[in-house]
Amino acid sequence: MWDRCIRRFSDYIIKMLPEVVFVLGAPGAGKGTQCSLISKEFGFVHLSAGDLLREERQRPGSEYGEMIEEKIRNGEIVPVEVTCSLIHNAIQKSGKTRFLIDGFPRNKNNLEGWERVMADKTKLLFVLFFECSRDICTERCLNRGAAGSGRSDDNLESLKKRFNTYLNDTMPIINHYDEQGLVRRVNAEVSPEEVFNDVKKIFKGLD
Ligand code: C5P
Ligand code: MG
């Protein structure tokens, strides 16, 4: 009797937890573009780890501003304590229940930090992985830079470093989730509309 009660109560608590989709892929794979489309059509809140870090970098009086800028320019990953607390605050502030966490977890430190403080406060639905070749991604980022993205890392030198970080540090995280059957792959080499057609099939299957 008690067992059943406790089980029901824990099922209820799990249902109430904020639901999270991690969105990963190489720089320029189209994570941000697709996340805006998903958030419009399926009502998820789009939280980009990169955008949150860029915002924190600009915040007057931030003690992390310089460190963040240096890491971003060098394509390195900011320590998880900073990133995770920005994500945590954004989740709490939104008052919403479903989130796309774009560009996170990017390395082992990100993953361990999340598991330490957030994993039991959220429910991970799956990891959306945008697959795109290095050449196409590089071209997109360079075009984005040329079109005035204003990003200090949309240049060839930073891109080389961002790709190394992606291959060495992010791919193992994707493989880690793949082993748990949590990765949903999408071909991101086609147009945004075509990519979104595949993405929609994944989100429509949710409920
Ligand atoms: O995802 P996005 O391309 O906007 O990330 C830009 C940069 O922000 C990354 O190259 C990295 O320096 C930083 N970042 C990070 N940790 C994350 C996501 C982004 O340090 N989880
Ligand atoms: Mg982005």
Side-chain angles (χ1 to χ4, degrees), residues 23-28 31-32 48-54 67-80 83-84 87 101-107 110 141 144 151 153-154 158 161-163 165:
V23 182
L24 293 174
K31 304 184 290 293
S48 155
D51 287 350
L52 289 169
L53 288 167
R54 284 183 283 271
M67 179 272 287
I68 292 173
E69 172 53 20
E70 198 187 315
K71 296 278 185 200
I72 287 183
R73 212 166 350 95
N74 289 319
E76 290 167 3
I77 305 302
V78 171
V80 69
T83 317
C84 218
I87 295 172
I101 305 192
D102 161 6
F104 186 94
R106 276 288 233 283
N107 65 2
N110 273 189
C141 289
R144 181 170 71 185
R151 282 180 55 158
D153 59 351
D154 279 341
S158 293
K161 296 177 182 164
R162 290 164 71 190
F163 261 96
T165 303

Side-chain angles (χ1 to χ4, degrees), residues 8-193:
R8 282 229 182 116
F9 183 66
S10 66
D11 284 352
Y12 174 75
I13 295 291
I14 287 168
K15 261 195 211 138
M16 301 289 294
L17 291 176
E19 294 178 328
V20 160
V21 172
F22 290 142
V23 182
L24 293 174
K31 304 184 290 293
T33 305
Q34 294 299 319
C35 283
S36 331
L37 296 169
I38 299 164
S39 89
K40 266 188 218 131
E41 185 143 345
F42 297 98
F44 277 68
V45 177
H46 176 202
L47 299 179
S48 155
D51 287 350
L52 289 169
L53 288 167
R54 284 183 283 271
E55 239 172 65
E56 175 64 21
R57 175 187 63 185
Q58 297 309 114
R59 191 174 61 81
S62 166
E63 58 180 305
Y64 304 117
E66 272 176 39
M67 179 272 287
I68 292 173
E69 172 53 20
E70 198 187 315
K71 296 278 185 200
I72 287 183
R73 212 166 350 95
N74 289 319
E76 290 167 3
I77 305 302
V78 171
V80 69
E81 289 73 17
V82 176
T83 317
C84 218
S85 80
L86 293 171
I87 295 172
H88 186 206
N89 292 345
I91 288 179
Q92 294 218 304
K93 220 168 79 185
S94 79
K96 297 280 176 19
T97 54
R98 286 181 145 184
F99 302 89
L100 300 166
I101 305 192
D102 161 6
F104 186 94
R106 276 288 233 283
N107 65 2
K108 199 157 176 272
N109 170 262
N110 273 189
L111 176 66
E112 287 173 354
W114 178 267
E115 288 190 336
R116 214 167 33 241
V117 284
M118 292 298 287
D120 62 351
K121 298 188 184 74
T122 52
K123 184 179 167 205
L124 176 62
L125 298 178
F126 54 86
V127 176
L128 186 60
F129 173 34
F130 291 111
E131 285 185 296
C132 193
S133 75
R134 183 175 182 147
D135 285 351
I136 295 182
C137 283
T138 303
E139 195 189 316
R140 286 181 187 167
C141 289
L142 291 177
N143 287 340
R144 181 170 71 185
S149 71
R151 282 180 55 158
S152 57
D153 59 351
D154 279 341
N155 58 74
L156 210 48
E157 201 191 327
S158 293
L159 274 165
K160 278 188 191 145
K161 296 177 182 164
R162 290 164 71 190
F163 261 96
N164 282 341
T165 303
Y166 170 69
L167 292 175
N168 296 328
D169 302 339
T170 311
M171 272 318 293
I173 305 304
I174 295 166
N175 294 337
H176 161 84
Y177 285 119
D178 211 11
E179 280 160 19
Q180 299 176 25
L182 282 168
V183 174
R184 307 286 179 269
R185 283 163 200 275
V186 175
N187 170 21
E189 296 195 342
V190 288
S191 70
E193 295 75 24

